[in-house]
Amino acid sequence: MSYRAAVIGLGKLGSCLAASLANGGITVGGVDIVDGRVSKINDGVAPFPEPDLQAYIDDSGDRLSATTKHRQAVANSDVTFVMVNTLYEGADGYALRHVNEVAESIGEALATIDDYHLIVLRSTVMPGSTGGEFRSTIEEVSGKRAGEDFGLCYCPEFTAVGEVIEKMEHPDFFLIGEHDERAGECLSEIYRSWVDDPSPVIRTDLVSAEVAKLAINSYVSMKISFANTLAQICDGMGGDVDEVTDVLAEDFRISGNYLTAGTRYGGPCFPQDNGSFGDLAVRAGTRAPLARAADEVNERHSDWIADVIRSVTPPGGTVAILGMTYKPGVAMVTGSEGMALARRLDAEFGLICYDPMGIDEARQNLAADVNYCDSLEKALDAVDTAVVTVQWDEFEDPDPFRRRNVSLVDPWRIFDRDEFEDPVEHVSVGQGDPR
């Protein structure tokens, strides 16, 4: 069967989904209320920088188009994917304002068509939302019923900025939360027709899939905080955190993934999903103290790295923060270690920030007295201390650091302990001096 799809929401994830579906042979009508995104898609231009996105748009030809008209796109498709932004609002979890607005438009379109239509919610939501408000809004507006007149699934994304398309097409598993068997089978068939060498498909009920989405990211957040706690312990006791985590990874009960000590977790997913998991537990009549502890450890880890910097920097000295994004390969600085350190140290030291991609966004969010450089070499001129917060490739070259009278704080242990000679003081975080 040749499918036609509507993708509502052409943000960083939705534009990648639309292009990926079209690249896989599906005719796609993208929808967004932002005219600029629609125009770019129709002009054959990627609305966001993301690996493979422009190439996919180029290869999609007339299979990919975009509009601002929701009802038109839904009515002309067999399946509608909803990927609009759901803002995290603290104890209230993820807000459904935009999702419910889309649900109304979908309902209006469904009222005009007779054929079976599959609706797939891909936005991150609190458990109970897909089969609750989202479903009931569509049913009320359309006059139709899920499971009879239309199909309904929740299919969360397990992807990350910088590798969206690869992880979207080939996740560890393709999770489908289904309202009914027909809907789940239909989405499974679409996935297998869209992607070459598809991943295993796991089908559950709606709520189980919603819980699983939050639980996975919460659990990963806990692992990161645990590894960072081990780094602090090893610093204090004289151990080597990498040797400790290597031992842990050999235990069949413990995966080594996300068990490398380094800097805090940040970005658009882990902090919000972990917080939502704690909020979810309260809604369910219980508590999630491990999730709350992971967030607390995350904040304290930045305090601890700041203290390491203070210990090797003269009062009123200058610190270079190398890396402002939350991970390499992206321009986003949300929740990053570089931003956290800048805010902790700005009142005490002169700060110079450098990042290959994230300087513009950092500049918009930090105090006016923070300085910025456009190269690593310039950032290292006349500073007392440099801290490498992101594993960018250019930071892995030791040569720019050599022959400089600088203390190099290395939370990721990018360099071997004996990599440098005087006058460089290499502070390898998580590798304390043996007692």
Side-chain angles (χ1 to χ4, degrees), residues 61-138:
D62 58 6
R63 290 191 304 276
L64 177 61
S65 62
T67 179
T68 58
K69 301 181 186 304
H70 295 69
R71 281 174 285 180
Q72 173 185 313
V74 174
N76 292 329
S77 65
D78 307 301
V79 54
T80 295
F81 293 94
V82 178
M83 192 172 276
V84 296
N85 192 22
T86 50
L87 296 176
Y88 176 60
E89 297 189 338
D92 292 330
Y94 285 101
L96 291 177
R97 290 191 302 276
H98 300 315
V99 168
N100 286 338
E101 289 170 0
V102 168
E104 291 181 6
S105 296
I106 292 173
E108 291 170 355
L110 288 185
T112 68
I113 59 180
D114 297 323
D115 294 336
Y116 179 85
H117 193 94
L118 177 63
I119 301 163
V120 183
L121 180 59
R122 306 210 70 174
S123 305
T124 301
V125 296
M126 297 301 289
S129 299
T130 308
E133 282 188 64
F134 185 64
R135 176 191 59 80
S136 63
T137 299
I138 295 172

Side-chain angles (χ1 to χ4, degrees), residues 1-79:
M1 177 178 176
S2 179
Y3 291 101
R4 301 169 302 162
V7 175
I8 301 179
L10 296 175
K12 293 180 180 179
L13 299 185
S15 58
C16 288
L17 175 61
S20 176
L21 288 166
N23 188 69
I26 296 174
T27 300
V28 179
V31 184
D32 204 285
I33 61 174
V34 179
D35 288 332
R37 296 175 183 175
V38 170
S39 297
K40 284 189 174 182
I41 291 290
N42 288 331
D43 290 341
V45 178
F48 301 97
E50 183 66 34
D52 297 326
L53 178 55
Q54 185 61 58
Y56 272 33
I57 291 175
D58 292 341
D59 292 343
S60 295
D62 58 6
R63 290 191 304 276
L64 177 61
S65 62
T67 179
T68 58
K69 301 181 186 304
H70 295 69
R71 281 174 285 180
Q72 173 185 313
V74 174
N76 292 329
S77 65
D78 307 301
V79 54

